[in-house]
Amino acid sequence: MKKKILITGGAGFIGSHVVRRFVSNYPDYEILNLDVLTYAGNLANLTDVEDLPNYRFVKADITDALAMNDLFEQENFDAVIHLAAESHVDRSIADPTAFVMTNVIGTVNLLNAARAHWKGDYDKKRFYHVSTDEVYGALGETGMFTETTAYDPHSPYSASKASSDHFVRAYHDTYGLDVVISNCSNNYGSHHFPEKLIPLAINNIKNNLPVPVYGKGENVRDWLWVEDHARAIDVIFHEAATGETYNIGGHNEWKNIDLIHLLCDIMDRKLNRTPGDSAKLISFVTDRAGHDLRYAIDSSKLQNKLNWVPSLQFEEGLEKTVEWYLENEEWLSNVTSGNYKAYYETQYQGR
Ligand code: NAD
Ligand code: TYD
């Protein structure tokens, strides 16, 4: 069946995997990737699909309500898969306002545009909000987040995502908009901007730079391969009932310090270094303010109802990820030098 889908944030890390999956697997769907190309947006993430006939890109800002309205007027979308966001906790601590603007106001602008143009005819229209497990706050040594865990965000990032989740639900409850939300744990994989723990550590180890570990490295994250997240989004988008929420996670908890040691071992092997050499780069630094101790997702609803299970063991996925960064030196050096910004001007302007 033909569908015209707006995917926001498709030039970012997870968004590019979602765009690639939808463009490649659903040739009948028309995919419009909307992204304003902040520092995190990189169209070189999509070189393998950018020429396919069912893919288009538009550079636009979701904080611009009029632009969102005009776009919905012109395009007559059947669905929105909304990933555009400010996504880095440390940046949210430095500057919360950008997170309110994009994550809260931007999401409300999209909801308003969908509501205005779908005009109550919500049958077969769908607004999918891609969210995070960080809305649930922090766990102690035990327990897991389920879909009914009360929201308790701590960082400006998670507060902004919690707020946007609430608005999405409010548009369902108040106006009857068909919405679905998924809350996912930490992702890893290719095309990840090297400010987040795993790609930053790979880049620093490769360049013999210190690997900063916050506090004592005892915080726990539940890591999921990004392509498993994209597959979960595909399944939820197509099969979830209206108004549903699904948690997505890898059942794969790692203390940061243990993860970094595993990464150092892989890097020693891949770079033919003496075992233990990369670990000498580990540098314990001042802890993040308000650092959530532990995240762990119970994704049994998704596994039982929609038959989704993660496909990769973490050790295998991490090894694949390291290989990708080592094989894609140009991608990494373009990102670290800032050259990736030129890709839009050279490849897209005038298209
Ligand atoms: P990212 O930072 O890599 O990408 C975000 C994208 O959004 C970028 O391409 C950026 O240019 C775009 N963008 C930002 N502000 C915009 C605006 N005002 N208008 C239009 N585009 C804008 O983020 P990511 O890690 O790929 O995360 C994608 C989504 O998934 C986010 O909503 C995030 O909250 C959520 N999420 C991320 C993780 C994770 O581990 N990274 C886990 C769970 C959920
Ligand atoms: P991050 O990748 O920023 O994701 P999030 O904060 O959304 O979980 O961080 C993952 C974990 O790694 C988190 O506990 C903070 C920690 N961390 C470091 O120890 N050093 C770093 O340089 C970074 C970026 C994160």
Side-chain angles (χ1 to χ4, degrees):
M1 201 222 308
K2 284 206 178 306
K3 267 191 207 299
K4 192 188 262 195
I5 304 177
L6 172 67
I7 299 184
T8 70
F13 166 48
I14 301 169
S16 61
H17 286 275
V18 174
V19 165
R20 179 175 300 100
R21 183 176 179 93
F22 274 72
V23 168
S24 315
N25 290 6
Y26 301 104
D28 276 357
Y29 291 4
E30 246 183 86
I31 304 297
L32 184 66
N33 172 13
L34 179 153
D35 200 299
V36 77
L37 304 180
T38 66
Y39 77 94
N42 182 356
L43 286 171
N45 292 350
L46 289 165
T47 46
D48 52 337
V49 294
E50 68 186 3
D51 292 325
L52 292 180
N54 60 338
Y55 172 77
R56 278 184 301 145
F57 171 73
V58 61
K59 188 169 188 279
D61 191 336
I62 61 169
T63 67
D64 183 342
L66 290 179
M68 293 307 103
N69 226 33
D70 288 350
L71 188 73
F72 272 73
E73 184 82 50
Q74 287 156 22
E75 298 284 349
N76 196 19
F77 298 116
D78 296 297
V80 178
I81 303 178
H82 174 38
L83 296 104
E86 289 292 341
S87 68
H88 190 37
V89 173
D90 292 327
R91 284 180 189 256
S92 82
I93 293 168
D95 175 17
T97 307
F99 287 70
V100 178
M101 293 309 295
T102 287
N103 299 0
V104 185
I105 307 288
T107 301
V108 172
N109 286 341
L110 289 168
L111 288 165
N112 282 339
R115 185 182 157 227
H117 294 280
W118 293 342
K119 294 190 178 76
D121 172 23
Y122 299 143
D123 194 30
K124 300 200 179 71
K125 308 282 189 193
R126 170 147 281 190
F127 191 103
Y128 185 147
H129 187 225
V130 175
S131 191
T132 167
D133 61 352
E134 302 190 25
V135 298
Y136 298 123
L139 294 162
E141 301 292 327
T142 58
M144 291 184 127
F145 299 132
T146 71
E147 287 81 359
T148 55
T149 302
Y151 276 30
D152 183 23
H154 297 152
S155 71
Y157 165 65
S158 54
S160 69
K161 292 296 292 188
S163 173
S164 55
D165 283 2
H166 288 318
F167 273 104
V168 172
R169 281 200 189 92
Y171 275 61
H172 175 70
D173 295 343
T174 310
Y175 309 113
L177 199 69
D178 178 326
V179 308
V180 282
I181 298 176
S182 55
N183 298 87
C184 188
S185 61
N186 289 61
N187 285 213
Y188 71 96
S190 68
H191 305 92
H192 203 179
F193 196 85
E195 62 179 354
K196 307 274 171 70
L197 180 67
I198 290 179
L200 178 119
I202 293 173
N203 189 42
N204 285 15
I205 294 169
K206 178 168 167 269
N207 294 303
N208 272 308
L209 295 168
V211 178
V213 173
Y214 298 166
K216 294 181 180 153
E218 289 187 340
N219 303 69
V220 173
R221 296 293 181 264
D222 175 354
W223 293 94
L224 179 70
W225 191 43
V226 62
E227 293 185 32
D228 280 333
H229 187 188
R231 183 166 49 85
I233 289 172
D234 183 344
V235 172
I236 294 166
F237 175 75
H238 287 102
E239 295 179 30
T242 184
E244 290 262 9
T245 292
Y246 280 90
N247 279 354
I248 312 172
H251 284 282
N252 177 45
E253 293 179 47
W254 284 78
K255 268 193 185 159
N256 291 340
I257 189 64
D258 296 339
L259 185 162
I260 292 298
H261 275 290
L262 173 63
L263 195 55
C264 287
D265 293 346
I266 298 173
M267 293 293 282
D268 281 344
R269 264 195 289 114
K270 298 284 175 197
L271 298 172
N272 292 320
R273 290 183 181 169
T274 308
D277 263 9
S278 297
K280 290 181 190 149
L281 298 167
I282 293 173
S283 164
F284 291 96
V285 299
T286 308
D287 208 353
R288 174 186 279 171
H291 198 169
D292 286 339
L293 177 66
R294 176 172 163 260
Y295 303 143
I297 274 275
D298 178 349
S299 58
S300 49
K301 176 177 173 188
L302 180 58
Q303 306 203 5
N304 297 335
K305 276 191 146 181
L306 302 184
N307 256 330
W308 172 94
V309 281
S311 71
L312 268 193
Q313 289 295 316
F314 187 56
E315 286 81 351
E316 190 189 345
L318 199 57
E319 183 134 353
K320 271 168 96 100
T321 302
V322 168
E323 280 163 7
W324 187 85
Y325 280 94
L326 297 180
E327 281 161 13
N328 288 274
E329 284 207 343
E330 199 183 340
W331 182 94
L332 191 55
S333 65
N334 279 339
V335 170
T336 50
S337 67
N339 284 347
Y340 69 112
K341 285 286 161 208
Y343 194 82
Y344 172 70
E345 276 74 34
T346 55
Q347 300 296 317
Y348 277 81
Q349 271 186 353
R351 262 191 192 217

